[in-house]
Amino acid sequence: MDKFDVCHCTEDTLVQRCKELMFSKENIELAIELFINKTHHSILADQLNIDVKSVGMRKMRMKKKLNNN
């Protein structure tokens, strides 16, 4: 299997990878917003009612898990 890369994947492959890692439905939706739709952190922070830095931290952690083979 090729190494997975969130920066160069389709929505379908991203969802498949998230399910392999047993991400929650909420985290799968967040991954799509971050890596496919490229939604601004400030918008996601408002939607999730969290700090913008927290969105950045979740993105970094999620990217690390998704790319780790």
Side-chain angles (χ1 to χ4, degrees):
M1 180 181 157
D2 292 332
K3 186 165 173 63
F4 183 84
D5 183 5
V6 293
C7 297
H8 302 96
C9 69
T10 65
E11 183 173 338
D12 289 339
T13 57
L14 177 62
V15 170
Q16 180 183 347
R17 179 72 174 148
C18 287
K19 287 180 178 179
E20 286 173 12
L21 297 171
M22 296 187 205
F23 278 24
S24 67
K25 185 176 185 249
E26 177 187 303
N27 279 339
I28 293 173
E29 291 170 5
L30 180 59
I32 292 168
E33 289 301 320
L34 289 168
F35 302 115
I36 302 297
N37 299 336
K38 310 263 192 254
T39 305
H40 287 275
H41 292 188
S42 58
I43 293 170
L44 292 172
D46 288 344
Q47 289 175 352
L48 298 170
N49 199 28
I50 59 175
D51 191 66
V52 175
K53 280 187 172 183
S54 297
V55 174
M57 201 59 141
R58 285 179 74 173
K59 180 179 181 179
M60 183 183 72
R61 289 179 179 149
M62 201 175 273
K63 184 176 181 176
K64 188 175 179 181
K65 278 185 181 179
L66 288 165
N67 286 340
N68 189 13
N69 283 345

